[in-house]
């Protein structure tokens, strides 16, 4: 089977899932961050629903610690395609609920992001949220079904997953429940990049090698030097050539040293990688062996 045939199968499955969401749910939303996976979802939605409008808005839960390049891409894309974007800020949730921001040198807001996500779901009464999570990213995400039910508190129970035989997806939920939908769940990081190459999808510049000032962590990771970090005089700061495999909160997402200036360079780099993108770059997944699963049980995407 050729690579083109394989990508066609993945694309067709994702489009089928997006159309199932439109058919089964009253108020779905597509979570969009300006990262490569959610960018692919928007591209797939264009294929699924054009020339009509999307049957859902785009929603961004803004931590306030985003990469400027990702935010600019988000705004430019929304203007280009003419779809509705809803932005809700973690900063507003922190103030309204009197929450405590994380402490330490790299104060990530990923945990607080859950509160804002649950608030926006309640505010707009979304019954389904579409996201770009993939099973190869992390072991907790490998447990997810494509239609993943959350209870009335937004919590996920990995032991209460529904069977999905023959591409049949069960979107039936009780009042207050919510379903998280993962149309590219069966894709790998390499699949995403091969698809981006084939479809000629534009991406934020930080996915490609560029020069950036970085803070070197104790474990050797390279964190973008930003106003959000709590540094001291002993911290080592270097300027080097880096790129990002994944784009999240600036305070928990590390860069990798790279000479991948073009998409073919990135594809070759991924083929040789020994560690997953999150394993290599996301500090919030290193808190414990079950860090991601614990966050998901609490309502995290």
């Amino acid at each position: 089977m050729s690579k083109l045939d394989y990508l066609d199968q993945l694309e067709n499955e994702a489009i089928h899932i997006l159309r199932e969401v439109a058919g089964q749910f009253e108020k779905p939303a597509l979570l969009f961050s300006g990262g490569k996976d959610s960018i692919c979802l928007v591209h797939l939605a264009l294929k699924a629903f054009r020339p009509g409008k999307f049957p859902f808005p785009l929603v961004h839960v803004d931590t306030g610690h985003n990469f400027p390049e990702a935010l600019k891409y988000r705004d430019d894309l929304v203007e280009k395609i003419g779809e509705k974007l809803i932005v809700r800020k973690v900063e507003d949730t922190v103030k309204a609920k009197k929450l405590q921001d994380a402490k330490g040198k790299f104060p990530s807001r990923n945990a607080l992001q859950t509160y804002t996500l649950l608030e926006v779901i309640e505010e707009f009464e979304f019954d389904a949220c579409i996201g770009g999570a993939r099973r190869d990213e992390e072991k907790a995400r490998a447990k997810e079904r494509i239609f993943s039910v959350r209870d009335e508190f937004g919590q996920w129970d990995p032991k209460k997953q529904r069977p999905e035989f023959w591409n049949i997806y069960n979107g039936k939920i009780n009042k207050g429940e919510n379903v998280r939908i993962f149309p590219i769940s069966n894709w790998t990081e390499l699949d995403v990049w091969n698809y981006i190459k084939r479809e000629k999808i534009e991406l934020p510049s930080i996915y490609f090698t560029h020069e950036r000032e970085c803070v070197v962590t104790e474990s050797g990771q390279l964190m973008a030097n930003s106003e959000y970090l709590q540094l001291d005089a002993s911290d080592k700061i270097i300027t080097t050539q880096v790129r990002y495999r994944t784009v999240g909160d600036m305070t928990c997402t590390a860069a990798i040293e790279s000479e991948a200036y073009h998409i073919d360079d990135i594809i070759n780099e991924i083929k040789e990688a020994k560690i997953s993108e999150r394993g290599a770059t996301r500090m919030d997944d290193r808190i414990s062996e079950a860090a991601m699963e614990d966050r998901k049980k609490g309502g995290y995407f």
Side-chain angles (χ1 to χ4, degrees), residues 137-138 221 245 275-282 285-286:
E137 289 182 274
E138 203 274 340
Q221 290 183 303
R245 287 177 69 182
I275 305 175
S276 71
E277 59 187 291
R278 290 190 71 93
T281 63
R282 294 300 286 266
D285 289 346
R286 297 187 175 196

Side-chain angles (χ1 to χ4, degrees), residues 6-171:
Y6 177 55
L7 291 176
D8 282 339
Q9 286 195 26
L10 290 175
E11 179 186 74
N12 290 339
E13 178 188 54
I15 289 173
H16 168 68
I17 292 166
L18 288 170
R19 288 172 176 166
E20 281 292 301
V21 173
Q24 292 195 44
F25 296 95
E26 296 293 329
K27 293 184 177 181
L30 192 156
L31 300 186
F32 181 71
S33 64
K36 69 182 186 308
D37 299 312
S38 61
I39 290 169
C40 281
L41 284 181
V42 171
H43 184 81
L44 289 161
L46 290 168
K47 289 196 169 191
F49 302 112
R50 284 296 190 254
K53 300 285 286 184
F54 288 178
F56 40 68
L58 307 183
V59 174
H60 183 209
V61 176
D62 183 350
T63 64
H65 293 175
N66 297 285
F67 289 93
E69 297 95 328
L71 291 181
K72 183 178 186 307
Y73 182 97
R74 178 200 71 184
D75 295 339
D76 290 347
L77 179 63
V78 169
E79 182 178 0
K80 178 181 177 181
I81 65 176
E83 295 292 341
K84 181 180 180 181
L85 172 68
I86 297 169
V87 178
R88 289 296 180 270
K89 298 183 177 182
V90 172
E91 181 72 29
D92 294 335
T93 304
V94 169
K95 292 177 180 177
K97 291 184 175 292
K98 295 182 172 57
L99 300 175
Q100 185 68 49
D101 255 320
K103 303 296 184 182
K105 189 166 293 185
F106 306 105
S108 170
R109 279 182 167 171
N110 265 11
L112 298 176
Q113 196 174 8
T114 299
Y115 292 95
T116 309
L117 174 60
L118 296 178
E119 281 183 345
V120 74
I121 289 173
E122 182 179 6
E123 178 184 354
F124 292 94
E125 299 181 333
F126 293 133
D127 52 2
C129 292
I130 306 162
R134 308 185 322 269
R135 290 189 177 120
D136 74 319
E137 289 182 274
E138 203 274 340
K139 57 189 177 182
R141 285 184 166 168
K143 297 179 181 181
E144 292 271 19
R145 298 293 194 265
I146 290 174
F147 275 32
S148 183
V149 178
R150 301 300 202 270
D151 66 18
E152 63 271 26
F153 303 106
Q155 297 175 329
W156 174 67
D157 186 345
K159 296 181 180 179
K160 293 183 179 180
Q161 296 283 291
R162 296 171 174 176
E164 293 179 337
F165 301 123
W166 307 294
N167 293 331
I168 297 175
Y169 307 108
N170 180 3

